[in-house]
Amino acid sequence: MRRLAWLAFAALLAGSVWVVGPDPARLAAGFPKLAGWLGTAWPPDFSEPGDIARRAAETVGIATLGTVVAALLAAPMAVLAARPVVRAAWLRQPARGLLDALRGVDGFVFALIFVAAVGLGPFAGMLGVALHSAGSLGKLWSEALEAADPRPAEAIRAVGGTPLQVARHALVPQTLPETAGALLYVWEFNIRASTVLGLVGAGGIGQELKNAVDLLDFNRLFALLLVVVGLTLAADRISAALRRSLA
């Protein structure tokens, strides 16, 4: 069985090389062009700082509100998808399938759909982030509930406790550090992911990035990339500090 798995992986790798067609010669030929672009990107252009700040704030808002909405959507689905809470497979499996479906569609694709539905702007981006993140959070939270010590849950169930009481009094208190840590991780990830939603008109600093690339304005592009790196580092530090406080 192990040999078959490795053969399947080798076939997948070979097929990927055939489909992608990596060409080191093309990469080497493109390096001078890339170096020329980098040479013209200094100094970074931070003109119109108000626009940059507004787009950066949209990015943070999309990620933060999208994560909160995702948590509200994920919580009931995670409970339904957890085996220690819901024993009936006919109820548990559809919940798991829905989480997999939401997780399987990237937030960028969801944002593109919502731009067509609700129009351009950060609201569409927030909805896209929320749906994709709900699937990821629900999956992580349901797995945390399933990994909890089953004895308190069995004790509550033995005295006639309902599945909701099992989740509320036995499983959720045990897994709170893990579930809160997963929420912070998803928020941190969404900060990074939200920087490109503007490419489809869903708000955020990605819109400014697209404009800079379209105009070949590499000074502006460099400045925006520095802002993106700053947002990512800040989110990482805040998330790490909050996770340490939960330990």
Side-chain angles (χ1 to χ4, degrees):
M1 188 65 183
R2 183 179 300 177
R3 181 177 298 177
L4 182 61
W6 278 109
L7 287 174
F9 176 74
L12 175 63
L13 184 61
S16 299
V17 171
W18 180 75
V19 171
V20 174
D23 189 349
R26 288 172 57 192
L27 179 60
F31 270 130
K33 183 185 297 185
L34 179 61
W37 289 343
L38 293 176
T40 62
W42 185 265
D45 178 13
F46 285 102
S47 61
E48 300 178 351
D51 289 341
I52 295 178
R54 178 172 61 86
R55 293 298 190 181
E58 285 182 359
T59 297
V60 175
I62 289 169
T64 302
L65 192 55
T67 304
V68 170
V69 174
L72 296 175
L73 295 173
M77 291 190 290
V79 170
L80 287 174
R83 188 185 302 270
V85 181
V86 177
R87 299 290 184 87
W90 65 268
L91 186 58
R92 189 177 64 251
Q93 293 301 330
R96 290 187 174 184
L98 178 58
L99 290 176
D100 289 339
L102 292 175
R103 191 164 51 95
V105 179
D106 192 78
F108 191 86
V109 177
F110 274 131
L112 183 62
I113 294 171
F114 280 115
V115 163
V118 303
L120 301 172
F123 182 48
M126 184 275 290
L127 292 172
V129 166
L131 284 188
H132 174 73
S133 299
S136 299
L137 272 176
K139 177 72 170 178
L140 293 171
W141 285 354
S142 66
E143 290 179 348
L145 294 175
E146 291 187 345
D149 184 355
R151 288 173 295 182
E154 293 296 339
I156 293 176
R157 191 176 284 110
V159 297
T162 64
L164 184 59
Q165 289 172 326
V166 169
R168 179 180 178 184
H169 298 292
L171 300 177
V172 171
Q174 284 189 68
T175 60
L176 188 57
E178 290 83 359
T179 54
L183 178 64
L184 291 170
Y185 174 79
V186 169
W187 172 73
E188 176 191 335
F189 173 82
N190 284 339
I191 292 286
R192 297 192 298 270
S194 298
T195 59
V196 299
L197 294 180
L199 297 177
V200 294
I205 204 167
Q207 184 64 55
E208 293 291 325
L209 286 169
K210 182 177 185 302
N211 293 340
V213 171
D214 289 343
L215 296 173
L216 299 180
D217 188 351
F218 297 108
N219 303 83
R220 185 68 165 182
L221 178 62
F222 187 36
L224 295 170
L225 290 177
L226 290 177
V227 173
V228 169
V229 171
L231 289 176
T232 303
L233 290 176
D236 176 71
R237 299 298 184 272
I238 293 170
S239 177
L242 290 174
R243 283 199 298 269
R244 283 195 299 269
S245 70
L246 295 170

